[in-house]
Amino acid sequence: MRTLIGLAFVLGVAGVAVPGTASAAAADYPTAYLTKTQYLARNPDPGLPDSCAERDITLAAGRYNWGFRAGSSSPVAREIRLGAGTYRWSTCLNPDGDGYLHTSVLLPRNPDWDPASIGWSWNPSSSGTYTWGSFLDPLF
């Protein structure tokens, strides 16, 4: 019971959210988000520093849709198979003058596993405050 309460606390602090689906698996393994909200310029100066968010996440073994959150858009970048374990998860925006290079990296704590990454270019339609980041949506 103590482990279950501890896990519930860790997941709550980590910002895991439950999407609105009827699947029993989705209720057991909700979509995980790593996001940041900030002001973004439509055409940012390429000399601006990167903006990043990161955290540790413990995942069940299985297939996941891994994608980006960019304002109201949430495109899936790829499907990935992950082993059960803890990962260091990061997401960053790198200003490039025309928009942003948006990347996300999963670094497994298991030294026998390779890191994984996704990336895409994003140009907000106008300057303003946006919520951006990445998500992992279990497919089991």
Side-chain angles (χ1 to χ4, degrees), residues 11-109:
L11 291 177
V13 171
V16 175
V18 177
T21 78
S23 166
D28 290 339
Y29 299 100
T31 301
Y33 296 92
L34 177 60
T35 60
K36 187 171 185 178
T37 300
Q38 70 182 92
Y39 178 85
L40 299 174
R42 175 161 166 42
N43 295 310
D45 179 345
L48 291 173
D50 292 356
S51 181
C52 298
E54 62 181 19
R55 70 177 172 101
D56 286 331
I57 186 168
T58 301
L59 298 170
R63 291 179 11 256
Y64 292 80
N65 274 336
W66 189 10
F68 294 102
R69 165 121 188 246
S72 61
S73 178
S74 294
V76 171
R78 71 184 270 202
E79 183 180 307
I80 187 168
R81 181 170 293 281
L82 298 170
T86 301
Y87 296 78
R88 185 67 175 168
W89 185 15
S90 65
T91 189
C92 293
L93 283 182
N94 174 275
D96 69 7
D98 294 324
Y100 299 87
L101 175 59
H102 191 172
T103 60
S104 186
V105 175
L106 283 168
L107 180 61
R109 294 294 186 206

